[in-house]
């Protein structure tokens, strides 16, 4: 089975549409969405509508998804993120709020799991480094997790003697998942990448070939920025899309 892996869409419809267009050329059987459909971007309703209608999509909640529906308090959010959450809350339809409220914070299949943050703190923990990864090893119930939240594409691995490591993916290249090794994989953010590359970031997991392919894709980011301006969203959030920061 081939899975399209998307995370941190953050209300960026042009990015999401470009990614789904890509999957027409490289078809997948199912989708995995690692949370944060909304927040930051100008198209929260549109993005929820698209994800809701995706066939065979496993979706879990991110901190922004829950914050807009009041299931997560925004005191831990930076002021600009909190402003965007409040704006998203003001425009989201009741039906879409109900959809976001219904999302769980983790999901599992036979051999893998998905969370937004980390196995230890599914919604809120940032996994930027090997120290946090090591602290999470005892919380992993599967050998493979897909996560989001940091918006930085990165993988972490651990062999049974608890030796750990991490690495970056190469765009367009396949990464092999080896038996007996534990992995936590973040394929980056569709709608607000923060690794210095403004292109949408996502991937494809093939559980038969045991591979993960990392993909970067250009999209019409000026369209997103124009709509953010019209919505009165903070300038910094608009600018950062140009730099992928
Ligand atoms: Zn996010």
């Amino acid at each position: 089975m081939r899975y399209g892996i998307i995370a941190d869409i953050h209300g960026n419809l042009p990015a999401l549409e470009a990614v789904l267009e890509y999957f027409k050329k490289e078809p997948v059987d199912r989708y995995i969405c690692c949370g944060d459909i909304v927040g930051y971007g100008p198209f929260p309703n549109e993005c929820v509508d698209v994800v809701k209608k995706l066939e065979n999509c496993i979706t879990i909640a991110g901190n922004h998804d829950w914050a807009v529906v009041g299931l997560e308090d925004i005191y831990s959010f930076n002021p600009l993120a909190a402003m965007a959450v409040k704006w998203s809350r003001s425009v989201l339809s009741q039906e879409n709020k109900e959809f976001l409220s219904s999302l769980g914070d983790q999901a599992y299949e036979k051999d893998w799991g998905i969370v937004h943050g980390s196995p230890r703190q599914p919604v809120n923990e940032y996994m930027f480094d090997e120290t946090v990864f090591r602290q999470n090893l005892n919380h992993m119930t599967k050998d493979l997790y897909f996560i989001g939240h940091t918006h930085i594409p990165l993988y972490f691995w651990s062999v049974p003697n608890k030796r750990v490591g991490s690495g970056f993916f190469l765009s367009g290249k396949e990464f092999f998942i080896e038996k007996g090794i534990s992995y936590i994989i973040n394929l980056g953010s569709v709608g607000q990448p923060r690794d210095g590359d403004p292109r949408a970031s996502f991937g494809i997991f093939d559980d038969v070939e045991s591979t993960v392919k990392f993909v970067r894709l250009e999209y019409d980011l000026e369209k997103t920025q124009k709509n953010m301006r019209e919505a009165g969203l903070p300038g910094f959030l608009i600018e950062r899309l140009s730099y992928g920061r």
Side-chain angles (χ1 to χ4, degrees):
M1 185 103 67
R2 282 161 56 82
Y3 298 85
I5 301 190
I6 54 178
D8 294 287
I9 299 161
H10 283 297
N12 189 339
L13 185 68
L16 177 60
E17 285 178 337
V19 168
L20 295 179
E21 201 57 37
Y22 176 91
F23 285 129
K24 286 183 184 164
K25 285 177 284 167
E26 236 185 289
V28 293
D29 306 295
R30 297 178 77 179
Y31 291 94
I32 294 170
C33 176
C34 302
D36 277 0
I37 303 169
V38 302
Y40 297 125
F43 300 105
N45 277 310
E46 293 83 349
C47 289
V48 173
D49 287 339
V50 168
V51 172
K52 266 195 314 200
K53 284 183 199 134
L54 275 181
E55 270 178 56
N56 297 315
C57 182
I58 309 164
T59 308
I60 48 137
N63 54 324
H64 288 252
D65 300 323
W66 273 5
V68 297
V69 294
L71 290 173
E72 182 76 24
D73 76 50
I74 56 172
Y75 299 112
S76 62
F77 282 57
N78 73 55
L80 297 181
M83 276 175 75
V85 164
K86 285 180 193 158
W87 179 84
S88 302
R89 190 181 287 159
S90 74
V91 298
L92 267 174
S93 68
Q94 190 54 33
E95 192 189 331
N96 284 340
K97 282 182 181 164
E98 278 162 24
F99 174 78
L100 294 176
S101 303
S102 75
L103 296 177
D105 64 357
Q106 49 201 294
Y108 298 95
E109 291 285 303
K110 187 168 148 277
D111 297 319
W112 47 267
I114 59 172
V115 290
H116 184 61
S118 74
R120 178 170 63 174
Q121 287 181 42
V123 179
N124 277 312
E125 184 166 49
Y126 289 94
M127 193 169 296
F128 279 117
D129 58 48
E130 290 169 21
T131 306
V132 177
F133 174 60
R134 192 185 290 278
Q135 291 163 356
N136 267 277
L137 287 175
N138 290 336
H139 299 267
M140 292 176 70
T141 56
K142 304 284 178 189
D143 275 340
L144 175 62
Y145 277 75
F146 295 100
I147 64 168
H149 199 35
T150 63
H151 301 203
I152 306 279
L154 202 57
Y155 64 85
F156 297 91
W157 56 264
S158 167
V159 289
N161 67 5
K162 303 274 191 218
R163 196 158 65 85
V164 304
S166 59
F168 296 104
F169 297 101
L170 293 173
S171 178
K173 290 272 188 293
E174 264 151 20
F175 173 82
F176 193 69
I177 305 284
E178 290 182 57
K179 286 254 178 301
I181 296 182
S182 300
Y183 295 93
I184 292 186
I185 289 178
N186 189 333
L187 289 158
S189 166
V190 168
Q192 195 203 71
R194 294 181 192 161
D195 62 339
D197 182 342
R199 295 176 298 169
S201 185
F202 61 101
I204 296 171
F205 168 48
D206 187 323
D207 67 354
V208 176
E209 302 289 331
S210 282
T211 56
V212 171
K213 183 178 177 183
F214 175 57
V215 186
R216 297 310 283 260
L217 190 67
E218 297 213 16
Y219 71 95
D220 187 356
L221 71 89
E222 281 86 12
K223 183 175 178 204
T224 301
Q225 291 175 316
K226 179 172 171 283
N227 281 270
M228 288 177 83
R229 248 176 255 120
E230 286 167 8
L233 286 159
F236 171 75
L237 299 181
I238 301 170
E239 290 300 308
R240 72 186 303 177
L241 293 178
S242 302
Y243 306 106
R245 290 288 179 198

